[in-house]
Amino acid sequence: MAVSISAVVLLGIVVFVLIRGGSVRTWPALACAGFGFFLASTGAAPVITDAISAVTGWISSI
């Protein structure tokens, strides 16, 4: 749970910086957020969560 909250905060900061820097416009960012929200309710969510957990576990072991 702590890893997913950290990932949400980190990705939120990245999106904020990209929007403020002009690299990403507001509407495409909202569309991507909506896509992620609906993707989380599909069968792909456990696979994505497991992959992120594996990567963060690998990084923490270094």
Side-chain angles (χ1 to χ4, degrees):
M1 183 66 173
V3 171
S4 62
I5 292 173
S6 300
V8 167
V9 171
L10 177 64
L11 291 173
I13 291 170
V14 169
V15 168
F16 177 77
V17 169
L18 288 174
I19 290 173
R20 289 285 291 171
S23 298
V24 177
R25 300 285 181 214
T26 303
W27 288 112
L30 290 175
C32 290
F35 173 72
F37 178 78
F38 288 112
L39 182 65
S41 64
T42 66
V47 175
I48 295 168
T49 303
D50 291 343
I52 291 173
S53 295
V55 169
T56 55
W58 177 74
I59 291 172
S60 67
S61 69
I62 293 178

Short mmCIF file of all heavy atoms in Angstrom, two decimals:
data_model
loop_
_atom_site.label_atom_id
_atom_site.label_comp_id
_atom_site.label_asym_id
_atom_site.label_seq_id
_atom_site.Cartn_x
_atom_site.Cartn_y
_atom_site.Cartn_z
N MET A 1 0.83 -1.20 0.00
CA MET A 1 0.00 0.00 0.00
C MET A 1 0.87 1.26 0.00
O MET A 1 0.57 2.20 -0.70
CB MET A 1 -0.91 -0.04 1.22
CG MET A 1 -1.86 1.10 1.28
SD MET A 1 -3.01 1.01 -0.07
CE MET A 1 -4.10 2.30 0.35
N ALA A 2 1.95 1.25 0.77
CA ALA A 2 2.81 2.43 0.83
C ALA A 2 3.47 2.70 -0.51
O ALA A 2 3.66 3.85 -0.88
CB ALA A 2 3.87 2.25 1.90
N VAL A 3 3.80 1.64 -1.25
CA VAL A 3 4.43 1.83 -2.56
C VAL A 3 3.46 2.46 -3.53
O VAL A 3 3.82 3.36 -4.28
CB VAL A 3 4.96 0.48 -3.10
CG1 VAL A 3 5.42 0.62 -4.52
CG2 VAL A 3 6.09 -0.04 -2.22
N SER A 4 2.20 2.02 -3.53
CA SER A 4 1.25 2.58 -4.48
C SER A 4 0.93 4.03 -4.16
O SER A 4 0.74 4.83 -5.07
CB SER A 4 -0.03 1.74 -4.51
OG SER A 4 -0.66 1.75 -3.25
N ILE A 5 0.90 4.39 -2.88
CA ILE A 5 0.67 5.79 -2.53
C ILE A 5 1.86 6.63 -2.97
O ILE A 5 1.69 7.71 -3.52
CB ILE A 5 0.40 5.94 -1.01
CG1 ILE A 5 -0.95 5.31 -0.67
CG2 ILE A 5 0.41 7.40 -0.60
CD1 ILE A 5 -1.23 5.25 0.80
N SER A 6 3.06 6.14 -2.78
CA SER A 6 4.24 6.85 -3.22
C SER A 6 4.25 7.01 -4.73
O SER A 6 4.61 8.07 -5.25
CB SER A 6 5.51 6.12 -2.79
OG SER A 6 5.55 6.01 -1.39
N ALA A 7 3.85 5.99 -5.45
CA ALA A 7 3.80 6.05 -6.91
C ALA A 7 2.77 7.07 -7.36
O ALA A 7 3.02 7.83 -8.30
CB ALA A 7 3.49 4.68 -7.49
N VAL A 8 1.64 7.13 -6.68
CA VAL A 8 0.61 8.11 -7.04
C VAL A 8 1.11 9.52 -6.82
O VAL A 8 0.93 10.39 -7.67
CB VAL A 8 -0.68 7.84 -6.24
CG1 VAL A 8 -1.65 9.00 -6.35
CG2 VAL A 8 -1.33 6.56 -6.69
N VAL A 9 1.78 9.75 -5.70
CA VAL A 9 2.31 11.09 -5.42
C VAL A 9 3.39 11.45 -6.44
O VAL A 9 3.39 12.56 -6.99
CB VAL A 9 2.87 11.16 -3.98
CG1 VAL A 9 3.63 12.46 -3.75
CG2 VAL A 9 1.74 11.01 -2.97
N LEU A 10 4.29 10.54 -6.72
CA LEU A 10 5.36 10.80 -7.68
C LEU A 10 4.80 11.08 -9.07
O LEU A 10 5.19 12.05 -9.73
CB LEU A 10 6.34 9.62 -7.74
CG LEU A 10 7.47 9.73 -8.76
CD1 LEU A 10 8.37 10.90 -8.40
CD2 LEU A 10 8.25 8.45 -8.82
N LEU A 11 3.87 10.24 -9.52
CA LEU A 11 3.29 10.45 -10.85
C LEU A 11 2.45 11.73 -10.90
O LEU A 11 2.42 12.41 -11.92
CB LEU A 11 2.46 9.24 -11.26
CG LEU A 11 3.26 7.98 -11.53
CD1 LEU A 11 2.34 6.80 -11.76
CD2 LEU A 11 4.19 8.16 -12.71
N GLY A 12 1.80 12.06 -9.79
CA GLY A 12 1.05 13.32 -9.74
C GLY A 12 1.96 14.52 -9.89
O GLY A 12 1.64 15.48 -10.60
N ILE A 13 3.12 14.47 -9.25
CA ILE A 13 4.08 15.56 -9.36
C ILE A 13 4.62 15.65 -10.80
O ILE A 13 4.73 16.74 -11.35
CB ILE A 13 5.24 15.36 -8.36
CG1 ILE A 13 4.72 15.56 -6.93
CG2 ILE A 13 6.40 16.31 -8.65
CD1 ILE A 13 5.70 15.16 -5.85
N VAL A 14 4.90 14.51 -11.41
CA VAL A 14 5.39 14.50 -12.79
C VAL A 14 4.35 15.11 -13.72
O VAL A 14 4.67 15.95 -14.58
CB VAL A 14 5.77 13.07 -13.23
CG1 VAL A 14 6.01 13.00 -14.72
CG2 VAL A 14 6.99 12.59 -12.47
N VAL A 15 3.09 14.71 -13.57
CA VAL A 15 2.03 15.25 -14.42
C VAL A 15 1.88 16.75 -14.20
O VAL A 15 1.75 17.52 -15.16
CB VAL A 15 0.70 14.52 -14.16
CG1 VAL A 15 -0.47 15.24 -14.81
CG2 VAL A 15 0.78 13.09 -14.66
N PHE A 16 1.93 17.20 -12.95
CA PHE A 16 1.82 18.62 -12.65
C PHE A 16 2.94 19.41 -13.33
O PHE A 16 2.70 20.45 -13.95
CB PHE A 16 1.85 18.85 -11.14
CG PHE A 16 1.80 20.29 -10.75
CD1 PHE A 16 0.61 20.99 -10.81
CD2 PHE A 16 2.95 20.95 -10.34
CE1 PHE A 16 0.56 22.33 -10.45
CE2 PHE A 16 2.92 22.28 -9.98
CZ PHE A 16 1.72 22.99 -10.04
N VAL A 17 4.16 18.91 -13.24
CA VAL A 17 5.31 19.60 -13.85
C VAL A 17 5.17 19.62 -15.36
O VAL A 17 5.46 20.64 -16.01
CB VAL A 17 6.64 18.93 -13.40
CG1 VAL A 17 7.81 19.43 -14.22
CG2 VAL A 17 6.88 19.18 -11.92
N LEU A 18 4.73 18.51 -15.95
CA LEU A 18 4.57 18.47 -17.40
C LEU A 18 3.48 19.43 -17.87
O LEU A 18 3.63 20.08 -18.91
CB LEU A 18 4.25 17.05 -17.86
CG LEU A 18 5.41 16.06 -17.79
CD1 LEU A 18 4.93 14.66 -18.13
CD2 LEU A 18 6.53 16.47 -18.72
N ILE A 19 2.40 19.53 -17.12
CA ILE A 19 1.33 20.46 -17.50
C ILE A 19 1.82 21.90 -17.35
O ILE A 19 1.60 22.74 -18.24
CB ILE A 19 0.06 20.22 -16.66
CG1 ILE A 19 -0.59 18.90 -17.07
CG2 ILE A 19 -0.94 21.36 -16.85
CD1 ILE A 19 -1.74 18.48 -16.20
N ARG A 20 2.48 22.20 -16.24
CA ARG A 20 2.98 23.56 -16.02
C ARG A 20 4.05 23.94 -17.04
O ARG A 20 4.16 25.10 -17.44
CB ARG A 20 3.56 23.71 -14.61
CG ARG A 20 2.56 23.69 -13.50
CD ARG A 20 1.79 24.96 -13.42
NE ARG A 20 2.66 26.04 -12.97
CZ ARG A 20 2.31 27.30 -12.97
NH1 ARG A 20 1.14 27.66 -13.39
NH2 ARG A 20 3.15 28.23 -12.55
N GLY A 21 4.86 22.98 -17.45
CA GLY A 21 5.92 23.25 -18.42
C GLY A 21 5.43 23.36 -19.85
O GLY A 21 6.18 23.74 -20.74
N GLY A 22 4.18 23.02 -20.10
CA GLY A 22 3.63 23.12 -21.44
C GLY A 22 3.86 21.89 -22.28
O GLY A 22 3.49 21.88 -23.46
N SER A 23 4.48 20.85 -21.73
CA SER A 23 4.71 19.63 -22.50
C SER A 23 3.43 18.85 -22.73
O SER A 23 3.27 18.18 -23.74
CB SER A 23 5.72 18.73 -21.79
OG SER A 23 6.95 19.38 -21.67
N VAL A 24 2.52 18.93 -21.78
CA VAL A 24 1.25 18.23 -21.87
C VAL A 24 0.14 19.22 -21.58
O VAL A 24 0.21 19.97 -20.61
CB VAL A 24 1.18 17.06 -20.84
CG1 VAL A 24 -0.17 16.38 -20.89
CG2 VAL A 24 2.28 16.07 -21.10
N ARG A 25 -0.86 19.22 -22.42
CA ARG A 25 -2.01 20.10 -22.20
C ARG A 25 -2.95 19.48 -21.18
O ARG A 25 -2.86 18.29 -20.87
CB ARG A 25 -2.75 20.34 -23.52
CG ARG A 25 -1.88 20.98 -24.56
CD ARG A 25 -1.70 22.45 -24.23
NE ARG A 25 -0.88 23.08 -25.27
CZ ARG A 25 -0.05 24.04 -25.02
NH1 ARG A 25 0.10 24.48 -23.80
NH2 ARG A 25 0.64 24.57 -25.98
N THR A 26 -3.84 20.28 -20.66
CA THR A 26 -4.73 19.84 -19.59
C THR A 26 -5.69 18.75 -20.04
O THR A 26 -5.84 17.74 -19.36
CB THR A 26 -5.53 21.04 -19.04
OG1 THR A 26 -4.61 22.02 -18.61
CG2 THR A 26 -6.40 20.62 -17.88
N TRP A 27 -6.35 18.90 -21.18
CA TRP A 27 -7.34 17.91 -21.62
C TRP A 27 -6.72 16.55 -21.91
O TRP A 27 -7.28 15.52 -21.50
CB TRP A 27 -8.14 18.43 -22.81
CG TRP A 27 -9.09 19.51 -22.36
CD1 TRP A 27 -9.04 20.82 -22.69
CD2 TRP A 27 -10.19 19.36 -21.48
NE1 TRP A 27 -10.04 21.51 -22.07
CE2 TRP A 27 -10.78 20.63 -21.31
CE3 TRP A 27 -10.75 18.29 -20.80
CZ2 TRP A 27 -11.90 20.85 -20.51
CZ3 TRP A 27 -11.87 18.51 -20.01
CH2 TRP A 27 -12.43 19.77 -19.86
N PRO A 28 -5.58 16.47 -22.60
CA PRO A 28 -4.96 15.14 -22.77
C PRO A 28 -4.55 14.51 -21.44
O PRO A 28 -4.66 13.30 -21.25
CB PRO A 28 -3.74 15.41 -23.65
CG PRO A 28 -4.10 16.63 -24.40
CD PRO A 28 -4.92 17.46 -23.46
N ALA A 29 -4.10 15.34 -20.49
CA ALA A 29 -3.74 14.81 -19.17
C ALA A 29 -4.96 14.26 -18.46
O ALA A 29 -4.90 13.19 -17.83
CB ALA A 29 -3.07 15.90 -18.33
N LEU A 30 -6.09 14.95 -18.55
CA LEU A 30 -7.33 14.45 -17.95
C LEU A 30 -7.81 13.18 -18.63
O LEU A 30 -8.32 12.27 -17.98
CB LEU A 30 -8.41 15.53 -18.00
CG LEU A 30 -8.19 16.72 -17.07
CD1 LEU A 30 -9.26 17.77 -17.30
CD2 LEU A 30 -8.17 16.27 -15.62
N ALA A 31 -7.63 13.10 -19.95
CA ALA A 31 -8.01 11.89 -20.67
C ALA A 31 -7.16 10.71 -20.22
O ALA A 31 -7.67 9.60 -20.02
CB ALA A 31 -7.86 12.10 -22.18
N CYS A 32 -5.88 10.92 -20.02
CA CYS A 32 -5.00 9.85 -19.54
C CYS A 32 -5.35 9.44 -18.12
O CYS A 32 -5.31 8.26 -17.78
CB CYS A 32 -3.54 10.30 -19.61
SG CYS A 32 -2.93 10.44 -21.29
N ALA A 33 -5.71 10.41 -17.29
CA ALA A 33 -6.11 10.10 -15.91
C ALA A 33 -7.39 9.27 -15.91
O ALA A 33 -7.53 8.31 -15.15
CB ALA A 33 -6.30 11.37 -15.11
N GLY A 34 -8.33 9.64 -16.76
CA GLY A 34 -9.57 8.87 -16.88
C GLY A 34 -9.31 7.46 -17.37
O GLY A 34 -9.90 6.49 -16.88
N PHE A 35 -8.41 7.33 -18.35
CA PHE A 35 -8.05 6.01 -18.85
C PHE A 35 -7.45 5.16 -17.74
O PHE A 35 -7.80 4.00 -17.57
CB PHE A 35 -7.05 6.15 -20.00
CG PHE A 35 -6.50 4.85 -20.48
CD1 PHE A 35 -7.30 3.97 -21.20
CD2 PHE A 35 -5.20 4.47 -20.20
CE1 PHE A 35 -6.80 2.75 -21.63
CE2 PHE A 35 -4.69 3.27 -20.62
CZ PHE A 35 -5.50 2.41 -21.35
N GLY A 36 -6.56 5.74 -16.95
CA GLY A 36 -5.95 5.01 -15.84
C GLY A 36 -6.97 4.62 -14.79
O GLY A 36 -6.92 3.52 -14.23
N PHE A 37 -7.92 5.52 -14.53
CA PHE A 37 -8.97 5.23 -13.55
C PHE A 37 -9.81 4.03 -13.99
O PHE A 37 -10.07 3.12 -13.22
CB PHE A 37 -9.86 6.47 -13.38
CG PHE A 37 -11.00 6.25 -12.43
CD1 PHE A 37 -10.78 6.27 -11.07
CD2 PHE A 37 -12.27 6.04 -12.90
CE1 PHE A 37 -11.83 6.07 -10.19
CE2 PHE A 37 -13.33 5.84 -12.04
CZ PHE A 37 -13.10 5.86 -10.68
N PHE A 38 -10.22 4.03 -15.26
CA PHE A 38 -11.03 2.92 -15.75
C PHE A 38 -10.20 1.65 -15.96
O PHE A 38 -10.72 0.54 -15.81
CB PHE A 38 -11.75 3.31 -17.03
CG PHE A 38 -12.87 4.27 -16.77
CD1 PHE A 38 -12.81 5.57 -17.22
CD2 PHE A 38 -13.97 3.89 -16.03
CE1 PHE A 38 -13.82 6.46 -16.96
CE2 PHE A 38 -15.00 4.77 -15.76
CZ PHE A 38 -14.92 6.07 -16.23
N LEU A 39 -8.93 1.78 -16.27
CA LEU A 39 -8.06 0.62 -16.40
C LEU A 39 -7.90 -0.09 -15.06
O LEU A 39 -7.80 -1.31 -15.00
CB LEU A 39 -6.69 1.04 -16.95
CG LEU A 39 -5.66 -0.06 -17.17
CD1 LEU A 39 -6.15 -0.99 -18.28
CD2 LEU A 39 -4.33 0.53 -17.54
N ALA A 40 -7.93 0.68 -13.99
CA ALA A 40 -7.78 0.10 -12.65
C ALA A 40 -8.93 -0.81 -12.27
O ALA A 40 -8.79 -1.67 -11.40
CB ALA A 40 -7.65 1.21 -11.61
N SER A 41 -10.07 -0.67 -12.93
CA SER A 41 -11.22 -1.51 -12.61
C SER A 41 -11.34 -2.70 -13.55
O SER A 41 -12.33 -3.42 -13.50
CB SER A 41 -12.50 -0.67 -12.65
OG SER A 41 -12.75 -0.19 -13.95
N THR A 42 -10.35 -2.94 -14.40
CA THR A 42 -10.39 -4.08 -15.31
C THR A 42 -9.56 -5.23 -14.77
O THR A 42 -8.93 -5.12 -13.71
CB THR A 42 -9.85 -3.68 -16.70
OG1 THR A 42 -8.46 -3.37 -16.58
CG2 THR A 42 -10.60 -2.51 -17.29
N GLY A 43 -9.52 -6.30 -15.51
CA GLY A 43 -8.72 -7.46 -15.12
C GLY A 43 -7.23 -7.23 -15.25
O GLY A 43 -6.43 -8.04 -14.75
N ALA A 44 -6.84 -6.16 -15.92
CA ALA A 44 -5.41 -5.87 -16.09
C ALA A 44 -4.79 -5.26 -14.85
O ALA A 44 -3.57 -5.24 -14.71
CB ALA A 44 -5.20 -4.93 -17.27
N ALA A 45 -5.61 -4.78 -13.94
CA ALA A 45 -5.09 -4.08 -12.74
C ALA A 45 -4.17 -4.96 -11.90
O ALA A 45 -3.09 -4.50 -11.49
CB ALA A 45 -6.24 -3.54 -11.91
N PRO A 46 -4.52 -6.22 -11.60
CA PRO A 46 -3.60 -7.04 -10.80
C PRO A 46 -2.26 -7.29 -11.49
O PRO A 46 -1.22 -7.31 -10.83
CB PRO A 46 -4.36 -8.34 -10.59
CG PRO A 46 -5.78 -8.02 -10.81
CD PRO A 46 -5.80 -6.90 -11.79
N VAL A 47 -2.29 -7.44 -12.79
CA VAL A 47 -1.04 -7.67 -13.54
C VAL A 47 -0.15 -6.44 -13.46
O VAL A 47 1.07 -6.54 -13.23
CB VAL A 47 -1.35 -8.03 -15.01
CG1 VAL A 47 -0.09 -8.15 -15.83
CG2 VAL A 47 -2.18 -9.30 -15.09
N ILE A 48 -0.75 -5.27 -13.63
CA ILE A 48 0.01 -4.02 -13.56
C ILE A 48 0.57 -3.81 -12.16
O ILE A 48 1.74 -3.44 -11.99
CB ILE A 48 -0.87 -2.84 -14.00
CG1 ILE A 48 -1.25 -2.98 -15.47
CG2 ILE A 48 -0.18 -1.51 -13.74
CD1 ILE A 48 -2.33 -2.03 -15.94
N THR A 49 -0.26 -4.08 -11.14
CA THR A 49 0.19 -3.93 -9.76
C THR A 49 1.33 -4.88 -9.44
O THR A 49 2.31 -4.49 -8.79
CB THR A 49 -0.99 -4.18 -8.80
OG1 THR A 49 -2.05 -3.28 -9.13
CG2 THR A 49 -0.58 -3.99 -7.36
N ASP A 50 1.23 -6.13 -9.90
CA ASP A 50 2.30 -7.09 -9.68
C ASP A 50 3.59 -6.67 -10.37
O ASP A 50 4.68 -6.81 -9.82
CB ASP A 50 1.88 -8.49 -10.15
CG ASP A 50 0.79 -9.09 -9.29
OD1 ASP A 50 0.58 -8.60 -8.16
OD2 ASP A 50 0.13 -10.04 -9.77
N ALA A 51 3.47 -6.14 -11.59
CA ALA A 51 4.66 -5.70 -12.32
C ALA A 51 5.33 -4.52 -11.61
O ALA A 51 6.56 -4.49 -11.48
CB ALA A 51 4.28 -5.31 -13.75
N ILE A 52 4.53 -3.58 -11.14
CA ILE A 52 5.10 -2.43 -10.43
C ILE A 52 5.74 -2.87 -9.12
O ILE A 52 6.82 -2.40 -8.76
CB ILE A 52 4.02 -1.36 -10.18
CG1 ILE A 52 3.62 -0.73 -11.52
CG2 ILE A 52 4.50 -0.29 -9.21
CD1 ILE A 52 2.45 0.20 -11.44
N SER A 53 5.11 -3.81 -8.43
CA SER A 53 5.69 -4.33 -7.19
C SER A 53 7.00 -5.05 -7.45
O SER A 53 7.95 -4.92 -6.67
CB SER A 53 4.71 -5.28 -6.51
OG SER A 53 3.56 -4.60 -6.11
N ALA A 54 7.07 -5.79 -8.55
CA ALA A 54 8.31 -6.49 -8.89
C ALA A 54 9.43 -5.50 -9.20
O ALA A 54 10.57 -5.67 -8.75
CB ALA A 54 8.09 -7.41 -10.08
N VAL A 55 9.11 -4.45 -9.94
CA VAL A 55 10.12 -3.45 -10.29
C VAL A 55 10.59 -2.71 -9.04
O VAL A 55 11.80 -2.51 -8.85
CB VAL A 55 9.57 -2.47 -11.35
CG1 VAL A 55 10.50 -1.28 -11.53
CG2 VAL A 55 9.37 -3.19 -12.67
N THR A 56 9.66 -2.29 -8.18
CA THR A 56 10.08 -1.58 -6.97
C THR A 56 10.85 -2.49 -6.02
O THR A 56 11.78 -2.04 -5.35
CB THR A 56 8.87 -0.98 -6.23
OG1 THR A 56 7.92 -2.01 -5.95
CG2 THR A 56 8.22 0.11 -7.05
N GLY A 57 10.49 -3.77 -5.98
CA GLY A 57 11.27 -4.72 -5.18
C GLY A 57 12.67 -4.90 -5.71
O GLY A 57 13.63 -4.98 -4.96
N TRP A 58 12.78 -4.93 -7.05
CA TRP A 58 14.08 -5.07 -7.68
C TRP A 58 14.94 -3.83 -7.41
O TRP A 58 16.12 -3.94 -7.11
CB TRP A 58 13.90 -5.29 -9.17
CG TRP A 58 15.17 -5.38 -9.93
CD1 TRP A 58 16.05 -6.43 -9.94
CD2 TRP A 58 15.75 -4.38 -10.78
NE1 TRP A 58 17.11 -6.14 -10.75
CE2 TRP A 58 16.96 -4.89 -11.27
CE3 TRP A 58 15.35 -3.11 -11.14
CZ2 TRP A 58 17.76 -4.15 -12.12
CZ3 TRP A 58 16.16 -2.39 -12.00
CH2 TRP A 58 17.36 -2.92 -12.47
N ILE A 59 14.32 -2.64 -7.51
CA ILE A 59 15.05 -1.40 -7.28
C ILE A 59 15.49 -1.30 -5.82
O ILE A 59 16.62 -0.89 -5.53
CB ILE A 59 14.20 -0.19 -7.68
CG1 ILE A 59 14.05 -0.15 -9.20
CG2 ILE A 59 14.81 1.12 -7.17
CD1 ILE A 59 13.08 0.90 -9.70
N SER A 60 14.63 -1.70 -4.89
CA SER A 60 15.00 -1.60 -3.49
C SER A 60 16.09 -2.58 -3.08
O SER A 60 16.78 -2.37 -2.08
CB SER A 60 13.77 -1.79 -2.60
OG SER A 60 13.30 -3.12 -2.70
N SER A 61 16.26 -3.65 -3.85
CA SER A 61 17.31 -4.61 -3.54
C SER A 61 18.69 -4.17 -4.01
O SER A 61 19.69 -4.78 -3.65
CB SER A 61 16.96 -5.99 -4.13
OG SER A 61 17.05 -5.93 -5.54
N ILE A 62 18.75 -3.13 -4.80
CA ILE A 62 20.03 -2.64 -5.33
C ILE A 62 20.75 -1.85 -4.27
O ILE A 62 20.30 -1.20 -3.45
CB ILE A 62 19.81 -1.79 -6.59
CG1 ILE A 62 19.29 -2.67 -7.72
CG2 ILE A 62 21.09 -1.08 -6.99
CD1 ILE A 62 19.01 -1.94 -9.00
#
